[in-house]
C-alpha cells in the first residue's frame, strides 16, 4: 500500500491510500482544487479514487465532499449511517440512503480490508479506520479525547499509524482560549494531547509499527518540534530500538512523503 497525508489540521484533513492503482481517501476536508493539485504533486490522479471514508461530520473532515461527489458521482462516500445523515444536514447532500449495511463489521474495497472502530469525540458517531492488505495494516486515528480499549485493540499491530498529536497540555491551558473551549479540547471527547499520543505511539512501536505520522496538530496549542520531541523522549526513556523507525509530522499546507507499506 501507498499512504500519503495530503493535509492535516483544523483547516482540513485528507489521507490518500492506494493499492495497485486503486485508491481510497480517508476524509475530504480540503477543496476539490487542493485535492487535485496535491494528487498531481505526488504523481497521482483523481481517477484512481474508488471511495471516500469519512471519520465524522466536522467540517474540517468533509468540506470537499459535495464538490467531489458532483465531479465523481460514481465514487461512494462511506461512513456510519448516523454520520452520513449529519453530513447531509450540514452539506445539503444525499449520501445517507447509500449507507453500507456491513459498515461496522468491516468491508473490502480496492482489495483493502477496511475496519471502522469507534473513537471518543464530540460527533454523532466518530470512527477511526484500519486498512489492511497483504498482511500489512495502516491505521488512521485522529480526533479522539482518549485511547479507548476499542481503539487500542484495533490499532495495535499496524505497520503505519496516522495518529493525532493535537496539543501540548501547558500551551492549551496556559493560552487565550475560553475556559470552556480548553475543557472541551482537553476532555475525553476532544483531542489527544502530545503526552497521551506519545504513550500510545510507544505501544504501537513495541508491537512493530515502523511509520508514525503525527497528525492534526493545533496551530495555536502545539508546535511540530514539541510534538515530535515528546514522542522521541518517550522512546528514549523506554529504551526502544529505533532501527527502521520513521517519524513525520503532517502539516496543514503541504503533504507528507509517500510511504510504501510493504
Amino acid at each position: 500500500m501507498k499512504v500519503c497525508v495530503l493535509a492535516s489540521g483544523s483547516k482540513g484533513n485528507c489521507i490518500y491510500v492506494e493499492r495497485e492503482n486503486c485508491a481510497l481517501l480517508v476524509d475530504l476536508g480540503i477543496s476539490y482544487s487542493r485535492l487535485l493539485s496535491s494528487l498531481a504533486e505526488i504523481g497521482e490522479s483523481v481517477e484512481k479514487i474508488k471511495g471516500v471514508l469519512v471519520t465524522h461530520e466536522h467540517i474540517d473532515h468533509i468540506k470537499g465532499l459535495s464538490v467531489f461527489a458532483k465531479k465523481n458521482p460514481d465514487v461512494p462516500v462511506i461512513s456510519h449511517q448516523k454520520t452520513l445523515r449529519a453530513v447531509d444536514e450540514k452539506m445539503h447532500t444525499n449520501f445517507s440512503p447509500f449507507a453500507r449495511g456491513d459498515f461496522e463489521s468491516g468491508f473490502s474495497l480496492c482489495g483493502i480490508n477496511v475496519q471502522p472502530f469507534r473513537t471518543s469525540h464530540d460527533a454523532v458517531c466518530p470512527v477511526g479506520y484500519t486498512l489492511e492488505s497483504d498482511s500489512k495494516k495502516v491505521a488512521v486515528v485522529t480526533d479522539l479525547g482518549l485511547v479507548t480499549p476499542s481503539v487500542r485493540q484495533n490499532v495495535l499491530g499496524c505497520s503505519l499509524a496516522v495518529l493525532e498529536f493535537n496539543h501540548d497540555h501547558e500551551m492549551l491551558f496556559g493560552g487565550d482560549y475560553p475556559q470552556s473551549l480548553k475543557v472541551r479540547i482537553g476532555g475525553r471527547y476532544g483531542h489527544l494531547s502530545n503526552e497521551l499520543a506519545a504513550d500510545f505511539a510507544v505501544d504501537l512501536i513495541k508491537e512493530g509499527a515502523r511509520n508514525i505520522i503525527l497528525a492534526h496538530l493545533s496551530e495555536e496549542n502545539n508546535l511540530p518540534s514539541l510534538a515530535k520531541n515528546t514522542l522521541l523522549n518517550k522512546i528514549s526513556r523506554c529504551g526502544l530500538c529505533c532501527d527502521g523507525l520513521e517519524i513525520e509530522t503532517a502539516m496543514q499546507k503541504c503533504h507528507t512523503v509517500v510511504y510504501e507499506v510493504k
Side-chain angles (χ1 to χ4, degrees):
M1 284 186 290
K2 294 181 181 179
V3 179
C4 181
V5 180
L6 301 181
S8 184
S10 60
K11 294 184 177 70
N13 298 272
C14 187
I15 300 162
Y16 178 87
V17 181
E18 179 191 331
R19 179 185 182 273
E20 296 182 356
N21 295 313
C22 181
L24 304 175
L25 297 179
V26 181
D27 288 330
L28 185 45
I30 57 177
S31 68
Y32 191 68
S33 60
R34 168 78 188 278
L35 173 66
L36 295 181
S37 63
S38 295
L39 290 174
E41 287 172 7
I42 63 172
E44 305 295 350
S45 67
V46 73
E47 286 76 21
K48 286 186 178 181
I49 297 170
K50 304 304 179 186
V52 182
L53 309 175
V54 178
T55 59
H56 63 292
E57 74 276 11
H58 290 167
I59 195 67
D60 55 321
H61 296 261
I62 66 169
K63 183 167 54 181
L65 280 179
S66 181
V67 174
F68 178 89
K70 290 176 183 177
K71 301 283 188 179
N72 304 274
D74 296 329
V75 178
V77 173
I78 301 167
S79 192
H80 193 281
Q81 188 173 32
K82 291 181 179 178
T83 295
L84 292 180
R85 281 200 293 262
V87 171
D88 287 345
E89 291 176 4
K90 186 172 289 189
M91 302 292 290
H92 306 292
T93 51
N94 194 35
F95 299 129
S96 54
F98 305 102
R100 297 180 68 111
D102 59 353
F103 176 78
E104 290 192 86
S105 60
F107 51 93
S108 180
L109 194 61
C110 282
I112 299 172
N113 295 320
V114 179
Q115 181 59 59
F117 54 89
R118 299 290 184 94
T119 57
S120 178
H121 193 53
D122 56 356
V124 295
C125 192
V127 298
Y129 291 98
T130 59
L131 303 101
E132 190 168 2
S133 179
D134 302 319
S135 300
K136 294 296 182 182
K137 183 166 72 170
V138 169
V140 177
V141 54
T142 66
D143 295 73
L144 68 167
L146 73 167
V147 178
T148 63
S150 173
V151 169
R152 182 174 296 275
Q153 176 183 348
N154 280 279
V155 178
L156 282 176
C158 68
S159 301
L160 179 150
V162 180
L163 177 61
E164 177 169 65
F165 277 69
N166 178 256
H167 62 273
D168 173 76
H169 183 84
E170 291 185 4
M171 286 184 69
L172 173 63
F173 285 93
D176 296 331
Y177 279 8
Q179 184 64 22
S180 59
L181 182 55
K182 294 177 182 179
V183 170
R184 179 219 163 226
I185 292 171
R188 64 180 290 117
Y189 300 109
H191 292 277
L192 211 59
S193 69
N194 290 343
E195 285 289 327
L196 291 177
D199 286 339
F200 189 39
V202 164
D203 290 342
L204 298 181
I205 294 165
K206 288 178 180 177
E207 293 294 322
R210 282 297 170 261
N211 298 107
I212 305 292
I213 302 177
L214 285 55
H216 216 301
L217 272 69
S218 168
E219 293 181 331
E220 293 80 16
N221 301 306
N222 211 349
L223 296 169
S225 59
L226 186 55
K228 187 172 184 177
N229 285 336
T230 302
L231 175 54
L232 291 175
N233 289 337
K234 293 267 186 182
I235 291 171
S236 177
R237 288 199 295 270
C238 292
L240 288 178
C241 175
C242 293
D243 291 347
L245 177 65
E246 294 184 61
I247 299 170
E248 183 176 3
T249 302
M251 304 301 290
Q252 184 68 80
K253 296 180 180 179
C254 59
H255 59 79
T256 65
V257 300
V258 179
Y259 291 88
E260 294 267 3
V261 185
K262 299 179 179 179

